[in-house]
Amino acid sequence: MAIKNLLVLAILLSVLGVSVAYPKGLYLNYYKHKCPDAEAIVRRVTVQYVSHEPSLAAALLRMHFHDCFVRGCDGSLLLKYPYNETERYAAPNLSVRGYEVVDAVKSALERKCPGVVSCADVLSLVARDAVIVINGPWWPVPLGRRDGRISRKSEVNLPSPLAGIAALKKNFFDKGLNTKDLVVLSGAHTIGISHCSVIHQGIYNFTGKDDSDSTINPRYVRALKRRCKPGDNKTIVMDPRSVKKFDSHYFNMVAQRKGLFKSDRTLLDDPETKSYIYTQVATAGSSFNKDFADSMVKLGFVGILTGNKGEIRKRCAFVN
């Protein structure tokens, strides 16, 4: 039933149309002749996994983001070799999960259309379809990306959960994304999961005097301390009310100074991001789904390889 609903949704939205300027080399229906069932295969396998384990939606969306922010959306995060030297072994990526979903999708595609669909396209589609499974928005994914052959742990420089607004804006500007994209894509934290170790300093010893970060709501600090005892590294959800459902409630949390990360709370330090947050709170997220879809389309264009650049990997974890 879930697969049928996804197919109906995709067809409906294709008919309605989305006005987006796509980079040269990327097209909707790119695989129409070379592998006409490609997108249906991706949807089927993704639904199977995410329906069974909804938390994979956040994991796969995060994987796509981490891939695109280093060397562009070229699937370089997926590479395993040389061991301990590729992006996936960098500290921010050690908690990335969901590789088994990408591998399962790629295996299904290789059985049907060997050597045709890139891992970069697979990851872009999987991220979109995983979000749909948990009632998130659909967005168009033009295809034609090729896979990178280079992946270096030393090049991983992702936006930090401890970053302030100036650093975050620079991270996004450097990728061709703007301030609105920053606040909109931060909304994905509504389904996010983190670890206690990331927030220990903020709630227990922010300035070295056994204090907490004054930008955090005191009641929220107490709740976090009940969940995360000193030395704990348990998982913690970023938005307890909607961790299994994609919605705009994250912005309510941030407005109440209950953002889990400094990078969430600092969104109140910029006039544009702050205004967006309060608008979403006041309107119950009236524009968030569309805004998120638009920003995800832009994210999917970062640093892409097309034409004769890169390759089409046979296995996503290894170059050919």
Side-chain angles (χ1 to χ4, degrees), residues 57-65 127 131 139 188 191 246 292 296:
L60 292 163
L61 186 57
R62 180 179 181 231
M63 182 188 291
H64 180 45
F65 182 88
V131 169
W139 60 89
I191 55 171
F246 194 96
F292 189 81
M296 286 302 300

Side-chain angles (χ1 to χ4, degrees), residues 169-180:
K169 289 173 72 170
K170 184 179 187 306
N171 286 147
F172 275 67
F173 292 171
D174 287 348
K175 302 301 176 185
L177 302 171
N178 59 30
T179 303
K180 183 176 181 180

Side-chain angles (χ1 to χ4, degrees), residues 15-286:
V15 171
L16 291 176
V18 179
S19 178
V20 180
Y22 301 144
K24 183 179 179 180
L26 293 191
Y27 308 97
L28 294 175
N29 300 316
Y30 180 85
Y31 297 109
K32 181 177 180 180
H33 300 294
K34 294 183 288 186
C35 189
D37 295 330
E39 294 190 50
I41 290 170
V42 175
R43 272 193 297 271
R44 174 176 56 78
V45 178
T46 302
V47 169
Q48 288 173 351
Y49 275 87
V50 180
S51 295
H52 178 71
E53 188 179 347
S55 66
L56 279 170
L60 292 163
L61 186 57
R62 180 179 181 231
M63 182 188 291
H64 180 45
F65 182 88
H66 281 215
D67 180 54
C68 292
F69 255 69
V70 182
R71 287 194 160 266
C73 307
D74 67 345
S76 53
L77 173 60
L78 305 173
L79 290 172
K80 281 185 178 179
Y81 185 81
Y83 178 72
N84 204 34
E85 294 181 17
T86 63
E87 292 171 29
R88 70 193 289 168
Y89 301 109
N93 289 331
L94 293 177
S95 58
V96 171
R97 63 190 188 92
Y99 294 106
E100 71 278 13
V101 182
V102 175
D103 290 341
V105 170
K106 178 62 171 172
S107 294
L109 288 166
E110 287 297 300
R111 288 193 295 270
K112 184 75 173 181
C113 314
V116 173
V117 183
S118 70
C119 297
D121 276 346
V122 167
L123 183 50
S124 298
L125 287 168
V126 163
R128 191 268 310 274
D129 292 345
V131 169
I132 292 175
V133 174
I134 58 167
N135 299 312
W138 176 93
W139 60 89
V141 180
L143 303 167
R145 297 166 189 79
R146 289 173 64 84
D147 299 322
R149 297 189 181 98
I150 299 171
S151 181
R152 299 189 181 109
K153 179 169 67 173
S154 61
E155 293 182 350
V156 175
N157 183 25
L158 294 161
S160 169
L162 305 178
I165 190 65
L168 292 172
K169 289 173 72 170
K170 184 179 187 306
N171 286 147
F172 275 67
F173 292 171
D174 287 348
K175 302 301 176 185
L177 302 171
N178 59 30
T179 303
K180 183 176 181 180
D181 297 318
L182 164 60
V183 65
V184 168
L185 293 176
S186 294
H189 286 174
T190 193
I191 55 171
I193 299 172
S194 187
H195 291 83
C196 290
S197 59
V198 180
I199 64 168
H200 271 148
Q201 183 178 357
I203 62 175
Y204 282 111
N205 196 28
F206 185 62
T207 66
K209 299 179 181 179
D210 297 327
D211 58 346
S212 60
D213 185 341
S214 62
T215 67
I216 311 176
N217 185 311
R219 292 180 62 184
Y220 190 46
V221 171
R222 292 192 291 272
L224 292 175
K225 285 182 174 180
R226 287 193 295 271
R227 173 64 183 172
C228 296
K229 304 299 182 184
D232 278 352
N233 196 27
K234 295 184 294 189
T235 57
I236 182 169
V237 299
M238 301 185 71
D239 183 355
R241 201 191 81 168
S242 65
V243 68
K244 293 184 179 181
K245 179 184 177 183
F246 194 96
D247 61 22
S248 66
H249 190 255
Y250 162 83
F251 298 111
N252 297 66
M253 297 284 289
V254 174
Q256 297 167 24
R257 296 193 295 128
K258 294 180 180 179
L260 188 66
F261 296 155
K262 178 181 177 180
S263 60
D264 298 313
R265 300 187 298 275
T266 195
L267 296 174
L268 295 176
D269 297 332
D270 178 86
E272 184 176 350
T273 55
K274 181 178 180 179
S275 174
Y276 185 86
I277 288 166
Y278 281 106
T279 297
Q280 296 310 308
V281 172
T283 63
S286 61

